[in-house]
Amino acid sequence: TNQRESTIVWDKITGEPLNNSVVWCDARNGVQVHKLNSMFGQNYLREKCGLPIATYFSATKLVWLMENVPQVKEAAEQDRLLFGTVDTWLVWNLTGGTKGGRHLTDVTNASRTMLMNINTLEWDNTLIEFFHLSSSILPKIQPSSSDYGSLQSGSLAGK
């Protein structure tokens, strides 16, 4: 699922996506990025997240979604919003979705969001607050080689 910067948001109650995926090369968030770069400079967050403030990464795509898609903002206000990159979306759905799906990602995908601290390998509250987001929408970060769960349906269920 090497779409590390593509952004997917969905309703954790219904399991329905709240918008089409905002893919890695989508630059609709350019206004927000230009504003942040003008205020702080492109490298303002680099020490914590290892990345420049740019349209490419998930955090600025999430900001755009919150500001421009009413269903996303509403789901966030009602604590129904989940976020993930493609890996997270697939794991959540394959492990049960609304029936106990696991909301997980690995360090390599989390590192491309601008929300993970590259020194602690955890979500960083300062970065989350910088983008006016909530940690409740973020998947749990775990090592790539760890257990991501079992398939919940189909011919491979339980594997």
Side-chain angles (χ1 to χ4, degrees), residues 10 82 87-97 99-105 139-140 142 146-150 152:
W10 66 97
L82 292 179
D87 68 307
T88 303
W89 169 248
L90 290 173
V91 168
W92 189 80
N93 279 287
L94 291 171
T95 59
K99 295 179 177 96
R102 300 186 71 192
H103 190 216
L104 306 170
T105 193
K140 179 184 173 197
Q142 60 185 50
S146 62
D147 181 1
Y148 279 74
S150 298
Q152 294 302 305

Side-chain angles (χ1 to χ4, degrees), residues 17-134:
L18 297 170
N19 198 69
N20 292 335
S21 174
V22 181
V23 298
W24 62 272
C25 61
D26 191 309
R28 285 179 277 186
N29 53 355
V31 171
Q32 290 86 350
V33 169
H34 177 72
K35 181 180 171 185
L36 291 172
N37 282 334
S38 295
M39 292 170 59
F40 302 102
Q42 187 177 29
N43 293 313
Y44 182 70
L45 303 175
R46 193 180 292 264
E47 187 175 315
K48 276 194 175 241
C49 71
L51 303 169
I53 298 173
T55 59
Y56 193 75
F57 306 110
S58 301
T60 57
K61 293 178 187 319
L62 273 169
V63 170
W64 184 89
L65 285 161
M66 295 285 240
E67 292 177 357
N68 293 280
V69 181
Q71 306 91 288
V72 174
K73 184 176 182 180
E74 181 181 312
E77 290 169 349
Q78 296 175 359
D79 194 31
R80 295 185 350 256
L81 182 67
L82 292 179
F83 152 78
T85 53
V86 175
D87 68 307
T88 303
W89 169 248
L90 290 173
V91 168
W92 189 80
N93 279 287
L94 291 171
T95 59
T98 59
K99 295 179 177 96
R102 300 186 71 192
H103 190 216
L104 306 170
T105 193
D106 79 318
V107 172
T108 66
N109 284 287
S111 73
R112 306 300 288 168
T113 63
M114 294 197 326
L115 300 171
M116 187 193 84
N117 185 309
I118 60 169
N119 301 299
T120 65
L121 305 182
E122 296 176 354
W123 299 123
D124 187 284
N125 287 330
T126 305
L127 295 169
I128 294 165
E129 290 169 10
F130 179 83
F131 290 105
H132 307 287
L133 298 169
S134 170

